[in-house]
Amino acid sequence: MNDFPARAVVDLGAVRRNIRSLAAHAPTAQVMAVVKADAYGHGLVPSALAAVQGGATWLGTAQVGEALHLRRAGVTGVRVLAWLYAPGAPLREAVEADVDLSVAAPWALDEVAAGARAAGRTARVHLKVDTGLSRNGLVPGQLSGVLAAARALEAEGVVDVVGVWSHLAFADDPGHPTVRAQAAAFAQAVAAVERAGVCLEVRHLANAAATLTAPALHWDLVRPGISVYGLSPVPQVAGPESFGLVPAMTFEAELATVKPVPAGSGVSYGHQYVVPHDTVLGVVPVGYADGVPRHASGTQDRPGGPLQVGGRRLGVAGRVCMDQVVVDLGPGAREVPGDRVVLFGPGTHGEPTAQDWADAAGTISYEIVTRVGGRVPRSYVDGERDGERDGEPPATATTHAHTTGAGA
Ligand SMILES: *Cc1c(COP(=O)(O)O)cnc(C)c1O
């Protein structure tokens, strides 16, 4: 039975291997696998467990709900940091669940302290400093006040400041002058906190790009996200293979309709593509509701997002619709309904990659994988245990474990 004619197959062996590669790039630091946004679309719990098996000693989430979801699913024995919340977040539950919390604003320290008091436990806190991204984080004028308040709460046993951290604006451009400026601002903030007498367990600044390209920024802990899933954070510099990374997700579907049409037929909404000669069209039953970017629609002059059909590399013909895309299989095509179409995968068998789709849609690979829709089932294989897949549908080899996000 085929509940849904497409799936995202995630190779958990690739996730483990990617963690080992990332750790090898940062031998003096611990690795936090960032698993926000349903592990970048790969499925939160299975991906997190694989990352831990690969050697990650920390997991990072944006939302508190994502961290709680991990704990409730039994992911223990690993530190979890959650860093993005608004007033009213379930911080008591987070402290009870042994989740480390970021404090990026004065009000946040108050709410963490209230959560810790309600939980009757000490909250572990990482002070987030804004070193130039101008997103979340304490600006220089806020740090000393929050630090003093945190020291007072430490004396009461309410909080324990274990980390100082920040995030880079141009990590994907390691030579950019802001990287040096942020690194210096971060070192200053760390020094200020340590001078105040705080004994820091982890000082952390590096995302995947900095993990792979800027060893001086590794500090005690690196926080790679995209590369846990095997994608390059710096595609303009180098592809995943040069960092020892293997893309973990394969997005594949079965052809629905296959039919001949005459020359001159307009294809899909708005007829942006008109077939130049008698041909055979195939309907691939995934669309923008499933994460196929509408910006990767194809026109007469420019093929859309790439698809591998029967070993051939084709492009989306015409507009990407909500539930489907059309592909021009060419005159005399021999495909039949049910044949496998690969939208993207590791790229080792000639199939397109998430990076190729990002290029086709004018975006980044992060957006391609995180947007694979909630109705697309995730299934899991283990390339290290099962041996490499070679183009066979995974129906028999997989454990189906459809995960949704953390409900966040
Ligand atoms: C998402 C995120 C990361 C991981 O970023 P990648 O570019 O995917 O490695 C690290 N730190 C913070 C604060 C983030 O929001």
Side-chain angles (χ1 to χ4, degrees), residues 64 85-93 111:
V64 173
Y85 50 92
L91 300 184
R92 175 179 61 79
E93 289 85 341
E111 293 219 359

PDB file of all heavy atoms in Angstrom, residues 64 85-93 111:
ATOM      1  N   VAL A  64      11.574  26.160  22.643  1.00  0.00           N
ATOM      2  CA  VAL A  64      11.534  25.362  23.864  1.00  0.00           C
ATOM      3  C   VAL A  64      10.702  24.096  23.632  1.00  0.00           C
ATOM      4  O   VAL A  64      11.044  23.010  24.115  1.00  0.00           O
ATOM      5  CB  VAL A  64      10.958  26.199  25.034  1.00  0.00           C
ATOM      6  CG1 VAL A  64      10.754  25.337  26.272  1.00  0.00           C
ATOM      7  CG2 VAL A  64      11.875  27.384  25.335  1.00  0.00           C
ATOM      8  N   TYR A  85      12.532  32.014  22.529  1.00  0.00           N
ATOM      9  CA  TYR A  85      11.201  31.943  23.116  1.00  0.00           C
ATOM     10  C   TYR A  85      10.718  33.356  23.375  1.00  0.00           C
ATOM     11  O   TYR A  85      11.503  34.305  23.412  1.00  0.00           O
ATOM     12  CB  TYR A  85      11.212  31.105  24.405  1.00  0.00           C
ATOM     13  CG  TYR A  85      12.293  31.480  25.397  1.00  0.00           C
ATOM     14  CD1 TYR A  85      12.042  32.404  26.401  1.00  0.00           C
ATOM     15  CD2 TYR A  85      13.563  30.915  25.321  1.00  0.00           C
ATOM     16  CE1 TYR A  85      13.035  32.758  27.303  1.00  0.00           C
ATOM     17  CE2 TYR A  85      14.556  31.258  26.226  1.00  0.00           C
ATOM     18  CZ  TYR A  85      14.292  32.192  27.210  1.00  0.00           C
ATOM     19  OH  TYR A  85      15.270  32.548  28.091  1.00  0.00           O
ATOM     20  N   ALA A  86       9.426  33.472  23.508  1.00  0.00           N
ATOM     21  CA  ALA A  86       8.795  34.754  23.821  1.00  0.00           C
ATOM     22  C   ALA A  86       8.247  34.651  25.243  1.00  0.00           C
ATOM     23  O   ALA A  86       8.171  33.553  25.806  1.00  0.00           O
ATOM     24  CB  ALA A  86       7.682  35.034  22.809  1.00  0.00           C
ATOM     25  N   PRO A  87       7.874  35.763  25.834  1.00  0.00           N
ATOM     26  CA  PRO A  87       7.319  35.689  27.188  1.00  0.00           C
ATOM     27  C   PRO A  87       6.187  34.665  27.266  1.00  0.00           C
ATOM     28  O   PRO A  87       5.383  34.534  26.341  1.00  0.00           O
ATOM     29  CB  PRO A  87       6.812  37.119  27.429  1.00  0.00           C
ATOM     30  CG  PRO A  87       7.719  37.973  26.591  1.00  0.00           C
ATOM     31  CD  PRO A  87       7.989  37.159  25.351  1.00  0.00           C
ATOM     32  N   GLY A  88       6.156  33.933  28.369  1.00  0.00           N
ATOM     33  CA  GLY A  88       5.102  32.939  28.572  1.00  0.00           C
ATOM     34  C   GLY A  88       5.474  31.540  28.124  1.00  0.00           C
ATOM     35  O   GLY A  88       4.657  30.631  28.180  1.00  0.00           O
ATOM     36  N   ALA A  89       6.709  31.355  27.685  1.00  0.00           N
ATOM     37  CA  ALA A  89       7.140  30.021  27.234  1.00  0.00           C
ATOM     38  C   ALA A  89       7.170  29.050  28.425  1.00  0.00           C
ATOM     39  O   ALA A  89       7.291  29.473  29.578  1.00  0.00           O
ATOM     40  CB  ALA A  89       8.524  30.114  26.602  1.00  0.00           C
ATOM     41  N   PRO A  90       7.064  27.755  28.161  1.00  0.00           N
ATOM     42  CA  PRO A  90       7.029  26.755  29.243  1.00  0.00           C
ATOM     43  C   PRO A  90       8.418  26.523  29.850  1.00  0.00           C
ATOM     44  O   PRO A  90       9.011  25.463  29.693  1.00  0.00           O
ATOM     45  CB  PRO A  90       6.485  25.501  28.547  1.00  0.00           C
ATOM     46  CG  PRO A  90       6.895  25.658  27.122  1.00  0.00           C
ATOM     47  CD  PRO A  90       6.895  27.134  26.834  1.00  0.00           C
ATOM     48  N   LEU A  91       8.919  27.526  30.572  1.00  0.00           N
ATOM     49  CA  LEU A  91      10.291  27.431  31.081  1.00  0.00           C
ATOM     50  C   LEU A  91      10.392  26.556  32.329  1.00  0.00           C
ATOM     51  O   LEU A  91      11.422  25.928  32.563  1.00  0.00           O
ATOM     52  CB  LEU A  91      10.857  28.834  31.338  1.00  0.00           C
ATOM     53  CG  LEU A  91      10.906  29.738  30.098  1.00  0.00           C
ATOM     54  CD1 LEU A  91      11.573  31.067  30.441  1.00  0.00           C
ATOM     55  CD2 LEU A  91      11.622  29.064  28.936  1.00  0.00           C
ATOM     56  N   ARG A  92       9.323  26.503  33.140  1.00  0.00           N
ATOM     57  CA  ARG A  92       9.356  25.568  34.271  1.00  0.00           C
ATOM     58  C   ARG A  92       9.512  24.142  33.761  1.00  0.00           C
ATOM     59  O   ARG A  92      10.370  23.382  34.224  1.00  0.00           O
ATOM     60  CB  ARG A  92       8.075  25.677  35.120  1.00  0.00           C
ATOM     61  CG  ARG A  92       8.003  24.630  36.238  1.00  0.00           C
ATOM     62  CD  ARG A  92       6.741  24.753  37.094  1.00  0.00           C
ATOM     63  NE  ARG A  92       5.517  24.574  36.323  1.00  0.00           N
ATOM     64  CZ  ARG A  92       5.009  23.408  35.933  1.00  0.00           C
ATOM     65  NH1 ARG A  92       5.623  22.266  36.242  1.00  0.00           N
ATOM     66  NH2 ARG A  92       3.891  23.350  35.229  1.00  0.00           N
ATOM     67  N   GLU A  93       8.715  23.795  32.740  1.00  0.00           N
ATOM     68  CA  GLU A  93       8.814  22.464  32.143  1.00  0.00           C
ATOM     69  C   GLU A  93      10.213  22.227  31.584  1.00  0.00           C
ATOM     70  O   GLU A  93      10.766  21.135  31.686  1.00  0.00           O
ATOM     71  CB  GLU A  93       7.778  22.300  31.019  1.00  0.00           C
ATOM     72  CG  GLU A  93       6.335  22.202  31.497  1.00  0.00           C
ATOM     73  CD  GLU A  93       5.673  23.562  31.705  1.00  0.00           C
ATOM     74  OE1 GLU A  93       6.394  24.576  31.841  1.00  0.00           O
ATOM     75  OE2 GLU A  93       4.430  23.611  31.750  1.00  0.00           O
ATOM     76  N   GLU A 111      12.183  35.445  33.564  1.00  0.00           N
ATOM     77  CA  GLU A 111      11.277  34.308  33.321  1.00  0.00           C
ATOM     78  C   GLU A 111      11.971  32.966  33.580  1.00  0.00           C
ATOM     79  O   GLU A 111      11.354  32.034  34.084  1.00  0.00           O
ATOM     80  CB  GLU A 111      10.709  34.367  31.897  1.00  0.00           C
ATOM     81  CG  GLU A 111       9.788  35.570  31.723  1.00  0.00           C
ATOM     82  CD  GLU A 111       8.554  35.295  30.869  1.00  0.00           C
ATOM     83  OE1 GLU A 111       8.382  34.170  30.371  1.00  0.00           O
ATOM     84  OE2 GLU A 111       7.759  36.250  30.722  1.00  0.00           O
TER      85      GLU A 111
END
